[in-house]
Amino acid sequence: MKGCYGAFAILCLTVSAQPVTYQLDAANSAVNFTLGDVLHTVHGAFKVKSGAIQFDPATGNASGEVVVDAASGDSGSGARDSRMKKNILETQKYPDIVFRPDHVDGAVGSPGKSQIKVHGVFRIHGADHEIIMPGEVDTAPDRMTATLHFLIPYVEWGMKNPSTLFLRVEDKVAIDIRAVGRLQPR
């Protein structure tokens, strides 16, 4: 894809079907979570540290990683967040949450929106878990924005359930990701 820049990058991508690399814009990317309990629903967010994704539109093969700061979890309640970091995520021992894609199903439009499923390995709390993240990717000449939604069965994956005698929470947490990436020239 040498010589493909700016407005022609996606056209070149379509014609050459060469692998591309997107550098994540951590400041404009977001990882939000939702956890239901019997009284109310808890919403919060984590900060993206870094990431880069390589993608081959001809084969669907993908590589790279997205790193999320586990200790950045913020639900708006200091006490709840402290318990989440100390007792559930154990962020002193496992400071990062990492996703490594290996394949993308679905034809990625050039430019435009496409429905996709991203396959890969999700590392949280010191363990790897195979996962499929359905969502949408919107490509433009020099960027992409992916929005993905999936559930993490955190109790099944070995993390503690924070339920108490009077407070019962779900054993799965919903994750919504908005990843913004800039096309890197070859």
Side-chain angles (χ1 to χ4, degrees), residues 95-110:
D96 294 329
I97 300 168
V98 180
F99 176 67
R100 292 184 179 94
D102 58 33
H103 194 79
V104 176
D105 288 332
V108 176
S110 310

Side-chain angles (χ1 to χ4, degrees), residues 38-102:
V38 293
L39 299 176
H40 68 287
T41 300
V42 175
H43 299 277
F46 290 91
K47 293 180 182 175
V48 175
K49 279 185 173 179
S50 63
I53 303 295
Q54 295 79 40
F55 171 66
D56 185 340
T59 65
N61 291 336
S63 61
E65 70 178 17
V66 176
V67 181
V68 174
D69 181 1
S72 70
D74 182 3
S75 69
S77 166
R80 177 175 47 228
D81 295 341
S82 179
R83 281 191 310 276
M84 171 181 63
K85 294 170 193 175
K86 182 179 178 186
N87 301 326
I88 311 305
L89 295 174
E90 298 182 81
T91 59
Q92 291 286 18
K93 190 173 180 181
Y94 311 110
D96 294 329
I97 300 168
V98 180
F99 176 67
R100 292 184 179 94
D102 58 33

Side-chain angles (χ1 to χ4, degrees), residues 68-183:
V68 174
D69 181 1
S72 70
D74 182 3
S75 69
S77 166
R80 177 175 47 228
D81 295 341
S82 179
R83 281 191 310 276
M84 171 181 63
K85 294 170 193 175
K86 182 179 178 186
N87 301 326
I88 311 305
L89 295 174
E90 298 182 81
T91 59
Q92 291 286 18
K93 190 173 180 181
Y94 311 110
D96 294 329
I97 300 168
V98 180
F99 176 67
R100 292 184 179 94
D102 58 33
H103 194 79
V104 176
D105 288 332
V108 176
S110 310
K113 294 182 180 182
S114 306
Q115 297 300 310
I116 60 170
K117 289 183 182 176
V118 182
H119 300 244
V121 174
F122 191 84
R123 183 168 189 78
I124 186 169
H125 200 249
D128 291 341
H129 306 277
E130 193 171 327
I131 193 164
I132 298 173
M133 300 178 188
E136 180 178 87
V137 65
D138 185 4
T139 58
D142 63 347
R143 65 149 182 87
M144 71 84 198
T145 302
T147 53
L148 305 165
H149 175 80
F150 59 100
L151 295 176
I152 293 178
Y154 69 97
V155 173
E156 182 181 315
W157 286 2
M159 289 170 267
K160 294 177 185 172
N161 186 321
S163 294
T164 64
L165 179 62
F166 300 107
L167 174 68
R168 296 285 176 209
V169 299
E170 296 176 355
D171 61 356
K172 293 179 178 81
V173 61
I175 304 293
D176 290 288
I177 296 175
R178 181 176 184 272
V180 176
R182 301 280 175 221
L183 183 66

